[in-house]
Each structure stands twice: as structure tokens, then as C-alpha cells.
Amino acid sequence: MPPNTTATTGDTATTGAAPAKSGRKKGRKARLMVLVLVLAIIGGIAYGAYWSISTVRASFPQTKGSITLDGLSGPVDVKRDGNGIPQIYASSDEDLFMAQGYVQAQDRFYEMDVRRHMTSGRLSEMFGKSQVKNDEFLRTLGWDRIARQEYDTKLSASAKKYLQAYAKGVNAYLQGKDGKDISLEYAALGFTNDYKPQEWTPVDSVSWLKAMAWDLRGNMQDEIDRALMTSRLGPQQIADLYPEYPYSRNKPIVQEGQYSALSKSFQQSGGTGTSQGTGTSQGTGTTGTTGGTRGASGGTAATTGSSASSSTGSSLTSQLAGLYKVLDDVPTAVGVNGQGIGSNSWVVSGKYTVSKKPLLANDPHLSASLPSVWYQMGLHCRSVSSKCQYDVTGYTFAGMPGVIIGHNQNIAWGMTNSGVDVTDLYLEKVSANGYLYDGEVRPFKTHEETIKVAGGSSKTIVVRQTQDGMPLLSDRDDELVQVGKRATVNSAAPDRGDGYGIALRWTALDPGTSMDAVFALDRAADWNDFRQAAALFDVPSQNLIYADTDNNIGYTLPGRIPTRSSVDDGSVPALGWSSKYRWTGFIKQNELPYEYDPKRGYIVTANQAVVGKDKYPYTLTTDWGFGTRSQRITDLIESKIKDGGKISTDDMRQMQLDNSSEIAKLLVPKLLKINLDDKNVRDAQKLLEGWDYTQESDSAAAAYFNAVWRNILKLAFGNKLPKELRVKGQCLWVDKVDSTGPVDDDSKVRECGDRDADQAQPDGGDRWFEVVRTLMEKPDSDWWKTPKSGTRPAANNLDQLLARAMIDARWELTAKLGKDIDTWSWGRLHRLFLKNQTLGTDGPKALQYILNRGPWRLSGGEATVNATGWNAAGGYTIVWVPSMRMVVNLADFDKSRWINLTGASGHAFSAHYTDQTSLWVKGELLPWSFSDTAVDKSTSDTLVLKP
């Protein structure tokens, strides 16, 4: 049974707050005065005078008139609408991308600069010694080093030309400017160091793709978590927490067709999804797709066995706990350090739409950041030709040329994270002379990295790599090295010598062609062009959906996806000293799953399984999302088109806002049958009567249900997990586990959690939906047992634990929201804070006030289509969001709609800093102009860039 635990402290209560107002002129002026007054008080009159209103406004972009830029071959028009979103018009590719670099630097250069310092491991140059550890780890990964190799050896001549033009545009903006002329943040940094922005390089843009790939890297976190669980849980218990994907209930992405290079006419096959490939299963479980029980039962990987006395024992547990701490400190690029990264996209054929042409929707779920990770813009050649090939609009990243998601004059596309397994951790037996591999010691590849530190001395580190180019991550933490030296193992592992280390194999550490893919997608004219462009998208592997003006729809899975031997399914860290665990190759691009014009008339991707059970010869991952969102979207589409119904652009928008809780549909009928003695708890229970399971921000029922759900997870699972997975400060009395495995029933120890609240487990996502759904069929399972705590009763079965969770939830919300349930609402708990990712997080409080915005009270929830994600282990505050929303109308692109989380500008007091947020909160979309006529009609400001 799960280890017995007794809770001694709860989670810190949070209080509600009214949503912040959007940035009207009066509010902006007031904040400017606060800025001046606060800084004057803090630093004296001279300090405050330096921060005058004119200083703040000096960095705002020029959006009217004309500017001369050396390097242009002809004039370029930059037309901005009322939200500051730019549409650029040029007569050559190079002019187009040079202007893109200039305009993005106008709006977002500080953000771009921070990003390139992160990707190159140079944050210490900007922010001092606090970032040295992060830089050490980032230098060890070597994103910038790999990006340089990509640029030198992999990218096409045209891609290099565009990257150079983009960099030229950024540098044209920087020319002659001091930091304070560029951004408010630089003015703040100027008080602590003498940092000066440097010129932009093409490699700075390429490196950003590595950061994006890192945050969308797949199941590395699950590998770590499963291994850490072995210190307290046995194989079957871990298997309980990682159930099989529910194929019979939640449909995979690809349902029709074939998956092999032998299939020449996929769209004509009308197939059932049966694999036509000749390969055999690469997994260790019952199917090639899922790898059986996700590695939990052991037998092949580093966590073999049922306790901490497995083949690597406490060595691996301690090493991975230390590694997690290092990983957790690495700044996020687009996601929550790999946790909870989801997205929705779907496309509907014209036979089911009002317009009789396809509709395509996309809303990637990423960390909430200020400014938003996305930048909206259009790139238009005045006349599309071989000299100027682009007429594209959509979302990109500040710091990168091209458009990542959007449409051109012929096609539209969207992306969601596929979750395929492209990372593996290896436990390496290391010594002074190298690492053990197939019985012999091989030397590491080594090189030195020097980290410059603002206001301090430089530091030099040595990066060690295996022959596969795998960096030894454990070198970056002194505690990890010591743990490796002290590790105890049994005879199944080699003698430790100087200790064990942890190395990383990851596809993004090989040079690739993803930057070429971006440009190819932007100019693709049809399905064949699209597929060829997608094949260049090495990392991150994304689900790509497609629609075109000829009324075709499609899906393809690109990416460099490894194959593994029969002894390794990639679900847990592997043994580095044996070649049996090394990757055996990569799936060929023409053998990856795809689908074109399926008979059902729509395609949905929302991080669910790509292919059906037993339908594909390779293991793509052992850790799909569990399909809750994808099946809900499918059901919404089916309900709309039944009996001849048609779907409109606004119907697609309404689907994006669906707040229905699938776990509530399962649990509420059961909760309403529970007998409760306490009248106050019964009053809360009554909130669930007649509730339609939608999580609106003003719903008291949604607030209470989610509190019950959080407490179910905490009582049944969270309190039984090892401290490495629990929330910091959450302390429990737990059974003492001896390092050799046996449990001493006569003694308990007090253990406090190690993880940040937004990273802890159980996080409450749809994997946990499936865990609870499965275990509800075993009402007497040990998981449903929990001890008495104070006046709260013990539980010995499912009904008793549900009753206890309802009691605990009632009093948790009483503490947070008050005793009167009539005042409760989901939005008072479920709030969005937008924070500047550097000085808004760690800067002085006054500066945080200036740079940050919020909170806003939101609808939606975890594993809901309107995925305003929260971590049930840590609380109700929003962790990730639909970072943008778009609906593309292929019948008339000017009838498409889009929205960003924040605004076009990264300048804190710009009118466009968060001008889209209030609309985003309401679920509204902005008009998305594409044609020359529509763009001209929506234009507020025009800037001409002259050669």
C-alpha cells in the first residue's frame, strides 16, 4: 500500500482581489507619476529626475513619418493598426526581413536581448552573480554552440541571407542608442551595472529555436518523476499513477490512412489506420505506441526494482532530485519548464462550414508572460515573385524572422506540442579518466566556458560530453557530484569509482534545419509544399494542421524522433554504461504519421495520442496527454454538424472558450450521494446540485468543486509521494524508509516538500483524471486511505475519502473566501498575474509594480478547452494560459480573427503593453486584416523606411 502519511501543515491561503483595469490614458498617466514619485523617494531628487516622463517615453517607437536605414534597396511601408500591430510592405525578401528586424526591435528589443542572453548562457552579464548557476547549466547544454553549427553547416543560403537581413534591421535600430533610449529596463539596469546592448547576430535568432524546443521537449519531467517515486512507491503503485491512454474513449489524431513510405496515396486509401510499415515494436510493453505500463514495472531501465535498493538505488533518486532543482531554476522560454505544455488546434472542412471553405483554429497553452511570447505581424511583398516571395501574416517570436503560426495567400496552419519523446537521461559511471561504456573507459570530450559576471569576477567551467555529444548535466551541481561519489548500489551496477553522473541525449543538441522550415512554411502554396517544409522542422516536434483555399485539410507530424532498442522504451532514465540503451536511429520523415482530407471532415489535435493502439510500428512516446480536451473539441464539432449543421467563424471562437470540466462530470454525481454531518459542508455540497459543470469566473460551484478536486488529489496521492515531488513548505510525518528498502512501522520522520508550487505533483491534469477514473473501480484501494488529522476523520475507502475532501475543501475556502458561500466565486481563486520575466520577478518591489499587471479573474481550468491551467498541488493561481487565439477563415482571410495575451509592445507605459488583455479575458477576438484594402482601412499609423 502507499506509505502512510500525516499532514502537519497546509498550503498558504491566498486572498481574492478585484481584476485590474485595462490601461486607459488616465491610468497610464497616473502610473507615470507614481513611477517618478516612488523612484524620487527611493533614490533622492537626482535619481527621480533621471526617471522623468521624457525618459520613459524616449524608448517608444516612431510609428509615423520616415526613417532612413542603410542597407535597404527600396522603401518599406510599416502600417500599424489601432493595436500597434505592424503590417510590413516591401519589394524584396531582404528588405522585408530587414524591416521586420527593425520593427520588432522598436517594440521588443529588451525582451529579445534577455532571450539571447538566456539561450547563450550569458544572463550573468546582465543580471550579475545571481544568474551564474543558470549560465553554467545553459552553457553545458550548449544551445548557442549548436545554433552556431546549424548556421555554419545546415541552413540554406537563402535562410542565412534572411537571417543576416533581419540582424541588419535590428542593428539599424540600435545604432546610436544608449540603453535608456531603448527600454525602461535598461535604465533600471544602469543603476547596478554598466551593461550595454551589443549588436544582434543571425545566430541569436537561431538559438531561440533551441529555447523553444527545450520547453516543449516531451517527457523528461515524467522520466525524473517516475524515477523519484521509486523511493516510496513500488512498481504497481507507480503504474497506478501512469495509466494507459484511454484509446476507446479519447480518439487519437490520425484515424484514417496509413503511416509508411510504402503508402503513395494516403488520401485515397480510406484506410483504418493499420500500419503498412515493416518495422517492429520498439517498446517494452504491449504496444509499440505506448510502451505498455510506461516503464513503471521496471525490468530494463535505471529504476528497475520496487524500492530504493534497485540497480542504481539511492544514487539515482538523489541525483535526479538534485538535477530537478537545477532544471527548475532555468528560466522558461515559452513553457513551464516542460510541465503542462499543451495546446488546441483543429480544422474543419468546407463541407461543414457556413463559408463552404475550411476554418482553422489554434490556441497554444504556454506560460503567462509580459510581454506575451507571441508577436503579431504581417510580411507582405508588394508583388509576389522570385525576388520577393512572401505574403504571410500571423504570430512569430520577437527575435526571429518569418512567421511561426498563421496563413499566407494560399494556406493556413497551426501547431500543438506533439509530446513525442526526444529526450533521454542516462546514468553514467564516471571516473577521473572518463566514463564506462561496454566495459571500457572512454574519455570525455571537454571544452571550457568562461562566464562573465556583471559587477563580479568571471568564472570558467569545464563542459564534459560523451561520444554521442551528451552533456554531463550533473557536473553543474556540487551536491550532485558528492552524491554520486557516496552512492550505494548493488551488484547489478558497476563500482561507482569516482561516482555516477547524469547525461542528457536530446535531438535539439544535434544541428538541424528548423529555421529553414519556418521560411518554407511561410511561402508554401499547397499540401506538397507544406509537407516538404514540415520535414525540415527537426525540433521541436509539433502537430501541424493544415488548410488551403482549395478546400483541403490535413495533418502531419514532423520532427527528428529517435528509435530505441527493445530493452528501453524511454520512460525512465537508462543505463549509460551499456550500448543496449543507446538510440538505434531516427524514424524516417516519410514514415511519420499524417492525414489528408479524412472522410470525417475535421482534424483535432490537443496533445492526445497521435496514432491508435497497435497501429504504428514505432514508439513515439510513453507519455501522451490523455485526450480530455481533444475529445471535448471533437464532441463539440460533432454536436454542431449533426443533422446538417454548419460551423461559423464565431462557432470556432466559442469552442475555444468552452469551460466544461470533464472530471466534474465524473465526480459530481458521486459527491452528491455522500452523506455529510456538518451543515456548513452540506451547504457547500448543495452548490453542486444542478451545476452544469462549466467553470465560469463567477461560479461558486466551480470554486467548491475545484477545491474538492484539489483535496481529493492531496489526500489520496499527494501526501503519499516522496518529498522531491511535493510542494515546498508542505511538511508531513511519514513512514521512515530505510535505504535498503524495508519500512520501519514504529518510527516516522518529518519531511518537507522540495518543489515550487507550480511544479509539484499531483498537478491535477488529465493524467490524474484517468488515475482517479480507474481507481474509482477499486473503492477499497489503499490509495483511498488517509489518516485522521486533528478533528478531520480518517478515510478507509473511496466514499470516506470523498467525504473528507469535501470537508477539507469547505474549510479551505472558508479561510480563503469567507464563511458565506454566497460570496464565493471561481475567479476569486483562479487569477492571472502578468509579470515581466526579469525585473518584474526579481527586481525591487517598486519596479515590479511598474512593470507587472493584474490580477484578472478568469474562467476555465485544467484540462479544459479554455485551458487556464493551475497546479492542484500548489494552489489555484493560473500557471499557463491560451497564449493567443486565432481562427482563420479560408474563404475570406479578412474575416479571420486573432488575439494576443498582452499587446504588441514591450514598453511598460505604451498604450499597447496590455491593450489586448481585457479582450482576451472576455474571449473576444480582433479583426485580422490581410488584403491590401483591409490593411489600409485598419491602419492608424504609417512609417516609411527609406534606403
Side-chain angles (χ1 to χ4, degrees), residues 147-453:
R148 168 59 65 184
Q149 293 176 31
E150 282 189 7
Y151 182 78
D152 290 341
T153 65
K154 289 290 186 178
L155 297 185
S156 67
S158 61
K160 291 180 181 181
K161 181 172 62 177
Y162 301 155
L163 287 162
Q164 290 163 2
Y166 181 90
K168 187 186 299 182
V170 175
N171 293 328
Y173 168 76
L174 294 177
Q175 188 174 5
K177 290 183 174 67
D178 292 329
K180 62 183 175 60
D181 300 323
I182 297 171
S183 175
L184 172 67
E185 290 91 335
Y186 287 121
L189 283 177
F191 289 107
T192 59
N193 64 59
D194 58 355
Y195 173 78
K196 304 293 182 185
Q198 299 172 343
E199 285 197 345
W200 193 265
T201 73
V203 174
D204 293 332
S205 295
V206 179
S207 295
W208 176 239
L209 284 170
K210 299 301 177 186
M212 186 173 79
W214 176 253
D215 281 351
L216 303 176
R217 62 191 177 270
N219 76 335
M220 192 165 116
Q221 190 61 61
D222 288 309
E223 283 189 47
I224 293 173
D225 286 356
R226 273 190 289 264
L228 291 173
M229 286 179 185
T230 61
S231 67
R232 288 206 167 271
L233 303 178
Q236 184 54 53
Q237 293 162 344
I238 297 174
D240 288 344
L241 304 186
Y242 287 89
E244 289 274 5
Y245 184 91
Y247 290 100
S248 62
R249 187 171 64 253
N250 297 340
K251 298 294 189 295
I253 297 172
V254 177
Q255 300 171 40
E256 304 172 33
Q258 301 163 333
Y259 313 99
S260 170
L262 301 176
S263 173
K264 296 181 180 179
S265 55
F266 170 82
Q267 63 270 36
Q268 301 296 325
S269 68
T272 61
T274 302
S275 172
Q276 300 297 307
T278 58
T280 58
S281 170
Q282 301 295 310
T284 60
T286 58
T287 75
T289 302
T290 63
T293 57
R294 298 172 179 257
S297 60
T300 63
T303 53
T304 305
S306 61
S307 73
S309 62
S310 64
S311 67
T312 55
S314 61
S315 166
L316 184 63
T317 300
S318 300
Q319 285 271 19
L320 289 173
L323 174 60
Y324 177 82
K325 293 176 183 178
V326 176
L327 293 174
D328 192 38
D329 286 337
V330 175
T332 57
V334 297
V336 192
N337 281 337
Q339 286 282 60
I341 303 299
S343 297
N344 301 321
S345 70
W346 65 97
V347 60
V348 181
S349 169
K351 68 179 178 180
Y352 292 131
T353 68
V354 172
S355 68
K356 299 182 180 180
K357 288 289 181 72
L359 293 171
L360 185 150
N362 197 187
D363 55 290
H365 307 154
L366 303 171
S367 291
S369 61
L370 182 60
S372 166
V373 69
W374 296 109
Y375 186 93
Q376 298 154 283
M377 72 187 318
L379 301 172
H380 308 278
C381 290
R382 293 191 179 96
S383 177
V384 176
S385 65
S386 59
K387 180 182 177 182
C388 198
Q389 305 173 72
Y390 296 89
D391 190 13
V392 62
T393 180
Y395 296 84
T396 187
F397 302 122
M400 268 187 60
V403 167
I404 305 297
I405 295 173
H407 72 82
N408 60 28
Q409 69 272 39
N410 298 304
I411 75 166
W413 67 96
M415 296 185 186
T416 64
N417 194 28
S418 69
V420 297
D421 187 0
V422 295
T423 61
D424 276 335
L425 293 171
Y426 286 87
L427 188 67
E428 303 284 353
K429 192 269 183 183
V430 300
S431 67
N433 298 320
Y435 61 98
L436 187 68
Y437 188 75
D438 282 350
E440 66 176 8
V441 176
R442 297 189 177 185
F444 285 107
K445 299 176 183 177
T446 64
H447 69 272
E448 291 186 347
E449 296 276 348
T450 299
I451 298 168
K452 297 178 181 179
V453 182

Side-chain angles (χ1 to χ4, degrees), residues 700-719:
Y704 182 58
F705 172 76
N706 282 315
V708 173
W709 171 238
R710 165 171 149 80
N711 279 278
I712 289 171
L713 293 172
K714 182 178 178 180
L715 293 167
F717 310 106
N719 289 349

Side-chain angles (χ1 to χ4, degrees), residues 604-896:
V604 177
T605 86
N607 319 112
Q608 78 271 38
V610 171
V611 292
K613 187 176 183 179
D614 298 322
K615 302 297 185 184
Y616 191 64
Y618 303 110
T619 299
L620 294 173
T621 185
T622 60
D623 293 293
W624 302 116
F626 277 73
T628 301
R629 282 179 287 108
S630 62
Q631 193 57 43
R632 175 62 179 170
I633 294 167
T634 297
D635 292 344
L636 290 170
I637 293 171
E638 290 283 359
S639 67
K640 194 70 182 177
I641 64 178
K642 70 179 181 180
D643 302 323
K646 301 292 184 180
I647 294 175
S648 68
T649 301
D650 197 60
D651 289 332
M652 300 284 275
R653 178 187 72 87
Q654 293 286 353
M655 291 178 193
Q656 289 178 324
L657 304 179
D658 183 77
N659 290 320
S660 176
S661 170
E662 298 303 299
I663 190 61
K665 294 176 184 177
L666 175 69
L667 287 174
V668 166
K670 184 76 172 174
L671 295 174
L672 289 173
K673 295 178 181 178
I674 301 295
N675 293 319
L676 298 163
D677 296 330
D678 190 316
K679 178 183 179 301
N680 291 300
V681 183
R682 291 200 306 273
D683 288 343
Q685 183 186 37
K686 290 177 183 178
L687 291 172
L688 304 178
E689 295 178 356
W691 179 43
D692 63 359
Y693 312 121
T694 60
Q695 301 168 97
E696 299 295 336
S697 63
D698 61 356
S699 171
Y704 182 58
F705 172 76
N706 282 315
V708 173
W709 171 238
R710 165 171 149 80
N711 279 278
I712 289 171
L713 293 172
K714 182 178 178 180
L715 293 167
F717 310 106
N719 289 349
K720 297 160 188 174
L721 295 176
K723 63 184 177 63
E724 291 85 3
L725 277 70
R726 297 201 313 269
V727 178
K728 285 179 182 176
Q730 183 190 89
C731 299
L732 308 170
W733 287 99
V734 302
D735 293 322
K736 184 177 181 181
V737 179
D738 186 82
S739 61
T740 58
V743 176
D744 181 354
D745 294 327
D746 297 325
S747 65
K748 289 182 180 289
V749 294
R750 190 170 185 264
E751 277 188 351
C752 298
D754 286 347
R755 285 202 178 171
D756 289 341
D758 63 357
Q759 297 284 296
Q761 292 292 339
D763 61 22
D766 63 354
R767 171 165 69 88
W768 293 99
F769 291 12
E770 198 62 25
V771 169
V772 169
R773 184 190 300 274
T774 302
L775 289 173
M776 284 177 70
E777 299 175 2
K778 303 174 183 178
D780 295 318
S781 167
D782 287 339
W783 288 111
W784 302 125
K785 297 178 182 179
T786 194
K788 179 180 179 181
S789 178
T791 61
R792 310 284 170 84
N796 292 299
N797 57 43
L798 172 61
D799 285 352
Q800 290 177 2
L801 186 132
L802 295 180
R804 168 71 180 275
M806 295 175 79
I807 295 168
D808 287 1
R810 178 24 160 145
W811 298 114
E812 180 189 359
L813 293 198
T814 297
K816 286 180 166 65
L817 303 179
K819 188 173 182 179
D820 184 359
I821 62 175
D822 291 336
T823 68
W824 291 1
S825 71
W826 177 223
R828 286 181 63 193
L829 290 171
H830 194 53
R831 298 181 298 160
L832 171 67
F833 295 84
L834 292 177
K835 295 184 178 182
N836 177 288
Q837 293 302 290
T838 56
L839 300 179
T841 302
D842 297 318
K845 293 295 182 183
L847 197 56
Q848 291 186 36
Y849 174 81
I850 292 165
L851 295 173
N852 298 340
R853 299 290 183 270
W856 288 268
R857 301 179 181 185
L858 297 193
S859 303
E862 181 62 33
T864 301
V865 179
N866 184 18
T868 53
W870 55 286
N871 186 300
Y876 306 96
T877 299
I878 291 159
V879 179
W880 58 85
V881 294
S883 55
M884 62 80 156
R885 298 186 182 102
M886 75 175 196
V887 180
V888 182
N889 186 324
L890 275 293
D892 183 349
F893 286 123
D894 290 332
K895 292 182 179 178
S896 302

